[in-house]
C-alpha cells in the first residue's frame, strides 16, 4: 500500500494553507552550531555526506552576537526559540552553560526569554550534566535508533564501540523527570523494524517519538520495499490501537502533528521556517537557512553583522525554499497540505534535482498522513475529547 491516492474520508481540496507573505521576515528562531563536531561515527550521517569537514566550535563572542541579532531582528515577535544541535552540542558544555547564564540574566531583567531546544546523541549525559539540563528548563531531544542491536550498529562511537547502554540510561532518566520537555528521534534505516523500536521506547518510558527515514546518497542504507511495507503496517496499526484503547503509549510526533492539520490547524505551504523566520549560525557567525545547510556556500545568507541580505534571502525563498505548490511532485500529492512540502535541505541534496522531494521520504510522509486521517476520523466517532487533546502543542517537538 503506497497511498498514491487519498484515503477515504480525506479530500485535499478542502485544505488551503494561507499564502506566504512576500516580504522580509522577522527572525523568531535561531539554530546554533556550538560544537561543530561529533563524537559518534554514525553510518548514515547526512552531515558528513553533504557538509564540509573543516568545522570548529563556537566562541562566546559569536554566541553573544547571535543573541543580539535575534533581539534585533525579532521585531514585534516575542515568542522566540533557540535550537542547539548539529554535531554533538554537549562537546561544548562550557558554552552551553554560558548560554544558560545569559538567558537567566534576561529573565531577571524582566525581558523575554527564548525557549531552548537541544538535540543530543545522549552519550555524554552523565549524572551531573543530566541534573544541570533538567534545571535549565530546556526542551531535550535524544537520538536513539532502537534496541541495542540496531543502535549499536547504526550509531557506534568514534572507535566503533557500542552506545546503547549510555544513551538508554539517559533516556530513562529524562523520560521520568521531564516528560513534558523530552522526546526521542529515531532514524529508520534498512532492516529497522519500527515495531521493535516502539517496544523499546515503551520499555524506556519515552513520552514521544519522531520516526524519520534516513536520507543519504548510499542506497544500501535506505529502507527497502519490505521495510516500507512494515512501516505502513506499523503506523496504521498505531492509529487503530489509539482509536481502540486511547493514546496510552508514546505519541508519534509526525502522526500527531499531521492529525492537527487534518483538523485544520497549522496548515502551511512550507515544511518549516528555514531561511524565513529561522536561520542557523555557524561557529564563525555565518548564517544559513538551517543546520543542514551549514558550510554549503551556495546557501549562505550572510553573517551576523550584515543579515538580512535581501537578495540572498529572497533567492532562497524563490528556489530551494519555495512553497510546495511550486514543486511538481507536491502539486500531484494529496498529502502535501499535511506536510507542507519537503525538507528544503533534503530536497536540495538528496532529491532528484530542481529541489523536488526525496521520493522515499514522500512515501513515509504519505503513510504518516494516512494514519493521521484514520486516527482523526476514528476518534471523532469514538472519543472526541481525546481528539481535541491532540491540539495541545506537540508541534514544537
Amino acid at each position: 500500500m503506497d497511498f498514491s491516492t487519498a484515503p477515504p474520508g480525506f479530500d485535499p481540496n478542502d485544505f488551503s494553507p494561507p499564502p506566504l507573505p512576500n516580504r522580509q521576515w522577522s527572525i523568531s528562531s535561531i539554530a546554533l552550531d556550538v560544537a561543530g563536531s561529533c563524537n559518534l561515527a554514525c553510518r548514515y550521517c547526512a552531515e558528513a555526506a553533504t557538509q564540509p569537514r573543516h568545522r570548529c566550535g563556537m566562541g562566546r563572542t559569536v554566541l553573544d552576537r547571535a543573541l543580539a541579532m535575534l533581539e534585533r531582528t525579532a521585531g514585534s515577535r516575542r515568542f522566540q526559540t533557540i535550537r542547539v544541535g548539529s554535531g554533538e552540542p554537549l562537546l561544548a558544555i562550557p558554552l552551553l552553560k554560558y548560554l544558560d547564564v545569559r538567558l537567566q540574566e534576561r529573565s531577571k531583567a524582566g525581558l523575554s526569554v527564548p525557549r531552548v531546544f537541544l538535540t543530543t546523541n545522549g552519550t555524554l549525559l552523565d549524572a551531573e550534566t543530566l541534573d544541570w539540563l533538567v534545571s535549565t528548563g530546556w526542551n531535550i531531544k535524544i537520538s536513539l535508533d532502537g534496541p541495542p542491536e540496531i543502535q549499536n550498529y547504526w550509531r557506534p562511537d568514534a572507535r566503533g564501540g557500542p552506545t546503547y547502554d549510555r544513551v538508554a540510561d539517559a533516556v530513562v532518566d529524562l523520560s521520568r523527570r521531564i516528560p513534558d520537555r523530552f522526546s526521542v528521534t529515531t532514524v529508520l534505516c534498512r532492516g529497522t523494524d519500527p515495531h521493535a523500536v516502539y517496544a523499546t521506547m515503551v520499555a524506556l518510558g519515552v513520552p514521544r517519538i519522531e520516526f524519520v527515514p534516513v536520507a543519504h546518497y548510499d542506497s544500501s542504507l535506505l529502507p527497502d520495499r519490505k521495510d516500507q511495507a512494515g512501516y505502513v503496517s506499523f503506523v496504521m496499526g498505531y492509529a487503530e490501537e489509539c482509536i481502540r484503547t486511547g493514546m496510552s503509549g508514546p505519541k508519534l510526533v509526525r502522526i500527531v502533528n499531521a492529525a492537527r492539520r487534518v483538523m485544520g490547524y497549522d496548515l502551511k505551504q512550507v515544511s518549516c521556517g528555514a531561511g524565513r523566520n529561522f536561520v542557523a549560525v555557524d561557529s564563525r557567525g555565518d548564517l544559513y537557512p538551517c543546520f543542514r545547510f551549514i558550510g554549503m556556500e551556495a546557501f549562505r545568507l550572510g553573517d551576523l553583522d550584515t543579515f538580512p541580505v535581501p537578495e540572498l534571502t529572497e533567492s532562497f525563498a524563490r528556489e530551494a525554499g519555495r512553497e510546495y505548490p511550486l514543486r511538481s511532485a507536491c502539486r500531484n500529492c494529496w498529502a502535501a497540505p499535511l506536510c507542507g512540502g519537503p525538507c528544503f535541505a533534503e530536497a536540495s541534496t538528496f532529491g532528484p534535482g530542481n529541489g523536488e522531494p526525496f521520493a522515499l521520504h514522500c512515501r513515509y510522509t504519505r503513510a504518516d498522513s494516512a494514519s493521521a486521517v484514520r486516527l482523526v476520523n476514528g476518534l471523532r466517532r469514538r472519543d472526541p475529547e481525546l481528539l481535541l487533546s491532540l491540539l495541545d502543542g506537540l508541534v514544537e517537538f
Side-chain angles (χ1 to χ4, degrees), residues 10-13 15-17 261-262 265-269 324 330 333-341 369:
F10 181 83
D11 185 348
N13 294 318
F15 294 80
S16 180
R261 295 178 185 126
V262 174
Y265 294 87
D266 303 321
L267 295 172
K268 50 192 177 180
Q269 294 201 13
Y324 79 75
C330 298
C333 179
W334 64 267
L338 303 184
C339 77
S369 299

Side-chain angles (χ1 to χ4, degrees), residues 124 170 196 247 274 292 314 340 350 372:
L124 302 177
M247 304 187 72
R292 295 180 67 178
E314 291 168 8
F350 301 115

Side-chain angles (χ1 to χ4, degrees), residues 24-105:
Q24 183 67 50
W25 291 62
S26 298
I27 299 300
S28 60
S29 183
I30 58 173
L32 303 175
D33 184 15
V34 294
S37 60
C38 186
N39 62 324
L40 297 192
C42 299
R43 297 174 186 269
Y44 56 73
C45 182
E47 292 180 4
T50 61
Q51 295 178 353
R53 297 179 183 273
H54 55 280
R55 297 165 64 191
C56 60
M58 181 178 290
R60 289 188 176 187
T61 300
V62 171
L63 175 59
D64 285 335
R65 290 168 59 208
L67 296 177
M69 188 270 291
L70 178 61
E71 180 71 16
R72 182 179 74 250
T73 61
S76 61
R77 301 187 66 150
R78 293 293 87 190
F79 179 77
Q80 301 165 12
T81 63
I82 295 174
R83 310 272 168 171
V84 183
S86 184
E88 174 44 52
L90 295 182
L91 291 171
I93 282 284
L95 189 66
L96 294 180
K97 291 187 174 181
Y98 177 70
L99 171 62
D100 185 34
V101 169
R102 289 296 316 276
L103 297 181
Q104 288 182 43
E105 290 172 350

Side-chain angles (χ1 to χ4, degrees), residues 250-269:
K251 289 182 173 64
L252 298 188
V253 172
R254 283 162 58 106
I255 292 175
V256 172
N257 283 337
R260 293 165 59 94
R261 295 178 185 126
V262 174
M263 290 187 279
Y265 294 87
D266 303 321
L267 295 172
K268 50 192 177 180
Q269 294 201 13

Side-chain angles (χ1 to χ4, degrees), residues 24-365:
Q24 183 67 50
W25 291 62
S26 298
I27 299 300
S28 60
S29 183
I30 58 173
L32 303 175
D33 184 15
V34 294
S37 60
C38 186
N39 62 324
L40 297 192
C42 299
R43 297 174 186 269
Y44 56 73
C45 182
E47 292 180 4
T50 61
Q51 295 178 353
R53 297 179 183 273
H54 55 280
R55 297 165 64 191
C56 60
M58 181 178 290
R60 289 188 176 187
T61 300
V62 171
L63 175 59
D64 285 335
R65 290 168 59 208
L67 296 177
M69 188 270 291
L70 178 61
E71 180 71 16
R72 182 179 74 250
T73 61
S76 61
R77 301 187 66 150
R78 293 293 87 190
F79 179 77
Q80 301 165 12
T81 63
I82 295 174
R83 310 272 168 171
V84 183
S86 184
E88 174 44 52
L90 295 182
L91 291 171
I93 282 284
L95 189 66
L96 294 180
K97 291 187 174 181
Y98 177 70
L99 171 62
D100 185 34
V101 169
R102 289 296 316 276
L103 297 181
Q104 288 182 43
E105 290 172 350
R106 290 187 61 83
S107 178
K108 292 175 182 177
L111 301 174
S112 62
V113 179
R115 293 177 66 192
V116 178
F117 293 80
L118 181 142
T119 300
T120 172
N121 62 43
T123 59
L124 302 177
L125 286 169
D126 56 24
E128 179 182 352
T129 304
L130 283 165
D131 288 343
W132 170 69
L133 279 177
V134 168
S135 74
T136 62
W138 296 356
N139 300 272
I140 311 299
K141 180 184 292 184
I142 287 182
S143 300
L144 177 66
D145 285 354
E149 64 274 15
I150 296 296
Q151 171 74 9
N152 293 337
Y153 177 76
W154 290 110
R155 297 180 65 83
D157 64 25
R159 297 183 179 182
T163 57
Y164 176 84
D165 288 341
R166 283 179 282 169
V167 179
D169 288 344
V171 166
V172 169
D173 185 81
L174 293 175
S175 296
R176 177 179 57 83
R177 289 207 274 173
I178 54 169
D180 293 339
R181 296 190 278 120
F182 178 64
S183 67
V184 167
T185 292
T186 290
V187 177
L188 297 171
C189 298
R190 180 163 299 186
T192 299
D193 178 4
H195 295 86
V197 174
Y198 190 79
T200 298
M201 300 304 172
V202 170
L204 297 176
V206 173
R208 56 189 63 81
I209 315 164
E210 183 177 10
F211 282 105
V212 181
V214 68
H216 206 278
Y217 297 122
D218 186 347
S219 61
S220 70
L221 305 179
L222 307 182
D224 59 20
R225 289 292 180 179
K226 180 180 178 182
D227 296 324
Q228 295 169 42
Y231 185 74
V232 169
S233 172
F234 168 70
V235 294
M236 297 308 291
Y238 173 82
E240 293 294 341
E241 183 66 18
C242 290
I243 294 167
R244 186 168 56 252
T245 65
M247 304 187 72
S248 57
K251 289 182 173 64
L252 298 188
V253 172
R254 283 162 58 106
I255 292 175
V256 172
N257 283 337
R260 293 165 59 94
R261 295 178 185 126
V262 174
M263 290 187 279
Y265 294 87
D266 303 321
L267 295 172
K268 50 192 177 180
Q269 294 201 13
V270 291
S271 58
C272 73
R276 289 182 170 89
N277 67 334
F278 170 60
V279 292
V281 185
D282 77 359
S283 61
R284 297 176 300 181
D286 287 336
L287 302 186
Y288 298 86
C290 77
F291 280 134
R292 295 180 67 178
F293 284 113
I294 284 179
M296 301 169 70
E297 186 61 28
F299 298 101
R300 184 175 174 273
L301 299 179
D303 57 42
L304 289 169
D305 295 323
T306 62
F307 186 84
V309 182
E311 58 267 30
L312 296 179
T313 56
E314 291 168 8
S315 175
F316 179 81
R318 286 193 311 269
E319 298 170 11
R322 67 187 183 275
E323 302 96 312
Y324 79 75
L326 302 179
R327 301 174 194 262
S328 59
C330 298
R331 285 197 297 269
N332 299 319
C333 179
W334 64 267
L338 303 184
C339 77
C343 163
F344 303 145
E346 183 185 280
S348 298
T349 52
F350 301 115
N354 299 317
E356 290 298 301
F358 187 40
L360 173 70
H361 278 217
C362 291
R363 289 193 284 273
Y364 276 76
T365 297

